[in-house]
Amino acid sequence: MRTPLIAGNWKMNGSMSLIEDFGRKFSDATLSEAVKVVVIPPFPYLEAARQAFRDTPLALGAQTLNPADSGAHTGEVSGRMLTELNATYVLVGHSERRELYGESDEQVFDRLLAALSVGLVPILCVGESLEERDAGRTMDVVLRQVGYAMARLDPEQRQKVVIAYEPVWAIGTGRTATPEQAQEVMAGIRAYQAEFNTTLAEQLTLLYGGSMNVKNAAELLAQPDIDGGLVGGASLKTDDFFAICQSAG
Ligand code: PEP
């Protein structure tokens, strides 16, 4: 049995008051224990979130990390630093990092390895552009991104990775993949994983990301290969995000 996971990616948004609001909401209201929830704010808010989320079931995550442990990397943050702030998850290869900051599959893999080496759970983000979907290349692109990383990991490492399928055309656009479109790709990712090991494939947590919201979450989460969501815009509204978490529990 896979435990549903809802991850809220705040991107470069949020504020100290939103952190406090989340702390209040998730400590006052009861969330099913059958769902895991992680909030992923920008780096400067991690310490405040660590404190505000103490009496809540919320885990903490970060949006990226540098592969190095320390050194002359101005502006960067290492995995070790994130663990010191009690972060337990980290996004790697978000499409905005791939597109805006030119992160290649190789660089994404280096980050993924760095995350695993300090005990962070990497959420590996993959997904095709609209052009790639229209050209019928969705599965090629997604399995290239998944395969580049997974084929280089040993079985023990592989079982620690969460994969988020996020069609790029659905991120921040309000245009969600249909549950059938998402299910088709995610079943393909699980089948790919099964080529390495069927047990690990069954255990693999797969998230859907791309304009998930209060209205469409339940239907997406009802798909057999969708174990949770990576939520951007809707994770900035406390009540909406809480409702999405409830629909996963
Ligand atoms: C994301 O940031 O990964 C994301 C899916 O954003 P949104 O939910 O806003 O599409």
Side-chain angles (χ1 to χ4, degrees):
M1 240 335 244
R2 300 182 292 268
T3 306
L5 171 66
I6 301 292
N9 173 20
W10 286 10
K11 313 191 189 199
M12 199 172 72
N13 297 301
S15 60
M16 291 295 280
S17 69
L18 187 62
I19 298 270
E20 283 155 23
D21 208 34
F22 263 60
R24 268 192 303 272
K25 176 79 189 184
F26 282 81
S27 62
D28 292 351
T30 310
L31 190 66
S32 159
E33 282 177 19
V35 54
K36 290 193 273 188
V37 184
V38 54
V39 174
I40 308 178
F43 292 139
Y45 296 132
L46 283 172
E47 172 57 16
R50 183 173 77 92
Q51 295 189 29
F53 298 172
R54 255 189 202 137
D55 298 324
T56 76
L58 296 174
L60 258 191
Q63 297 176 14
T64 185
L65 78 170
N66 188 279
D69 179 69
S70 61
H73 298 280
T74 303
E76 294 289 293
V77 169
S78 78
R80 178 181 52 79
M81 295 168 184
L82 297 174
T83 60
E84 283 183 355
L85 290 170
N86 284 4
T88 47
Y89 291 83
V90 64
L91 298 179
V92 293
H94 190 280
S95 66
E96 286 152 20
R97 303 284 324 166
R98 292 180 192 260
E99 262 179 49
L100 303 174
Y101 302 99
E103 283 183 20
S104 62
D105 286 337
E106 193 180 349
Q107 288 168 326
V108 170
F109 179 67
D110 288 345
R111 284 164 169 71
L112 190 137
L113 268 191
L116 289 170
S117 75
V118 294
L120 288 165
V121 176
I123 302 178
L124 171 66
C125 304
V126 299
E128 81 288 1
S129 66
L130 188 56
E131 202 183 19
E132 290 161 340
R133 173 162 282 267
D134 288 345
R137 294 179 46 226
T138 298
M139 245 21 252
D140 289 353
V141 171
V142 168
L143 292 186
R144 187 207 76 224
Q145 293 171 335
V146 170
Y148 190 96
M150 289 311 212
R152 287 169 173 77
L153 296 177
D154 63 38
E156 204 187 316
Q157 292 170 318
R158 221 175 279 138
Q159 81 183 54
K160 295 183 177 137
V161 178
V162 170
I163 297 179
Y165 167 57
E166 302 201 293
V168 177
W169 47 270
I171 298 180
T173 58
R175 187 181 158 189
T176 319
T178 64
E180 296 72 27
Q181 283 174 322
Q183 166 58 26
E184 186 186 10
V185 176
M186 293 168 78
I189 296 173
R190 200 177 300 283
Y192 172 84
Q193 187 79 346
E195 289 173 24
F196 295 102
N197 183 317
T198 47
T199 310
L200 287 192
E202 273 311 305
Q203 290 165 352
L204 173 68
T205 300
L206 286 177
L207 311 183
Y208 166 79
S211 300
M212 186 182 268
N213 59 37
V214 183
K215 289 198 182 113
N216 60 29
E219 207 188 347
L220 285 159
L221 294 167
Q223 297 300 310
D225 286 296
I226 303 186
D227 307 315
L230 179 51
V231 186
S235 73
L236 295 167
K237 297 175 200 139
T238 315
D239 291 342
D240 283 15
F241 187 63
F242 188 84
I244 292 172
C245 297
Q246 273 182 319
S247 63

